[in-house]
Amino acid sequence: MINRGIGIQYNVKLQRLVREIKRDIDESIVPLVRQYGMTRDAMVTDGWYDFLIPALTALMKRWKSERVQQLAARLAGDFVQAANNASRKSVGIDVYESHPELRDVLQSSTWSNVQLIQSIPDQYLAQVQQLVVNNMRAGLRPSAIVDQLQQQYGVTQRRAKMISRDQTSKVQGDLNEKRQRAVGFEYFQWVTSKDERVRDRHTEIAEKLTAYGVGVYRWDNLPLSDKGVPIKPGSDYQCRCFARPVSNEEIERNRRNGKVAPGVYR
């Protein structure tokens, strides 16, 4: 099964990152908003633009620094390695990390998560800049702008949580597939979390009788989503389903016992 503890720990680290960005905003931007954002006339005479834009630019530059890039690489690497260890334990299949396909998943997953982590300050600060400049130009009260900054903090917190949950499913799902196929498993059984949050389509896939058994499919002929796109456990948005490896012997046993639907492959 998917190890949710990995996602929780990942989220803790991403939330810490979001709080650090907010602290910088509170220390460098909010005081300027309060000082120079009184009224439209005051903003013109006080020249708020000359003070605020350099501060916003400096803040965005700070969060594109080599230090932030190194932090993103470390967080992504730690997360992917934890997901790899969890996959090894849950599937019970040990494959050397030098295996070409497994190595590709580890490297590509790390790269993808580095990009996602770096996108957190990029998107957060871009929204902050647009929010502050547009609203100060429109003459909005400083207190109202600060309230909107707090709301944007909440939006960024939720996005960070979404990234951690979604990537946990996707990365572990990809690793589980590569581990199973590396040692010769051609088939898998789609297993859901069996609760109210499971998508109807995923329940249908898990309960469907195929030519191989109940909820059993080939890795090279995946079931289809409700949009007609091939999917595997963990690949859908925040999917918590799991792929149980199924041996050729189990397939033959299902056929002998009549627990198959000939001609139904997905």
Side-chain angles (χ1 to χ4, degrees):
M1 62 181 296
I2 300 298
N3 189 324
R4 295 295 154 190
I6 303 302
I8 292 172
Q9 290 302 313
Y10 193 23
N11 181 50
V12 167
K13 295 177 180 180
L14 295 186
Q15 295 300 333
R16 188 179 301 135
L17 174 68
V18 175
R19 288 195 300 273
E20 187 176 344
I21 302 169
K22 181 180 184 296
R23 184 171 62 249
D24 275 0
I25 294 169
D26 289 344
E27 292 177 355
S28 62
I29 305 302
V30 171
L32 294 178
V33 171
R34 295 190 186 280
Q35 181 177 356
Y36 298 105
M38 299 302 180
T39 66
R40 183 183 298 273
D41 291 339
M43 285 188 290
V44 172
T45 57
D46 288 346
W48 65 270
Y49 188 91
D50 293 335
F51 290 90
L52 188 59
I53 295 303
L56 286 166
T57 301
L59 185 58
M60 296 183 78
K61 183 178 180 180
R62 188 183 312 157
W63 283 96
K64 285 182 175 295
S65 66
E66 184 177 350
R67 178 190 72 84
V68 176
Q69 294 173 10
Q70 292 174 348
L71 173 63
R74 184 172 71 252
L75 292 178
D78 289 347
F79 162 67
V80 171
Q81 190 55 56
N84 184 39
N85 293 337
S87 169
R88 182 189 299 116
K89 293 177 182 178
S90 64
V91 178
I93 298 173
D94 196 8
V95 177
Y96 289 114
E97 293 182 11
S98 59
H99 187 280
E101 292 188 1
L102 186 62
R103 185 179 65 247
D104 286 347
V105 172
L106 293 171
Q107 291 177 343
S108 62
S109 296
T110 301
W111 182 87
S112 295
N113 276 272
V114 168
Q115 307 311 305
L116 286 169
I117 293 168
Q118 290 178 335
S119 77
I120 293 174
D122 288 349
Q123 291 190 23
Y124 187 7
L125 293 175
Q127 290 297 322
V128 165
Q129 176 172 283
Q130 184 177 28
L131 184 158
V132 171
V133 172
N134 289 348
N135 286 322
M136 288 188 69
R137 186 171 59 210
L140 198 66
R141 296 189 317 276
S143 59
I145 297 176
V146 173
D147 287 344
Q148 290 191 21
L149 289 175
Q150 183 64 31
Q151 292 174 17
Q152 190 59 49
Y153 171 55
V155 170
T156 306
Q157 285 182 307
R158 291 190 291 276
R159 180 168 181 266
K161 183 176 182 180
M162 179 275 292
I163 289 173
S164 65
R165 292 177 62 178
D166 187 55
Q167 286 300 302
T168 297
S169 298
K170 282 184 169 58
V171 174
Q172 289 192 66
D174 288 344
L175 290 169
N176 290 346
E177 175 195 356
K178 296 308 179 186
R179 278 202 155 78
Q180 292 178 31
R181 299 187 75 171
V183 296
F185 283 102
E186 300 177 79
Y187 306 89
F188 70 93
Q189 182 181 30
W190 188 297
V191 182
T192 73
S193 298
K194 297 180 174 62
D195 58 33
E196 68 280 356
R197 292 168 55 196
V198 177
R199 294 173 174 82
D200 291 341
R201 178 54 184 155
H202 292 192
T203 298
E204 293 172 3
I205 291 172
E207 296 178 351
K208 186 172 186 177
L209 184 63
T210 72
Y212 318 115
V214 177
V216 181
Y217 303 87
R218 288 184 61 100
W219 281 115
D220 60 2
N221 192 24
L222 296 170
L224 304 178
S225 70
D226 50 11
K227 297 180 181 179
V229 178
I231 54 172
K232 59 188 176 184
S235 65
D236 232 346
Y237 175 70
Q238 295 195 43
C239 171
R240 298 169 299 132
C241 299
F242 176 74
R244 181 183 71 83
V246 176
S247 66
N248 292 338
E249 290 75 16
E250 183 174 341
I251 300 296
E252 290 304 318
R253 187 163 58 251
N254 288 341
R255 287 170 177 163
R256 288 196 304 270
N257 295 332
K259 296 180 179 180
V260 294
V264 179
Y265 302 108
R266 62 183 187 179

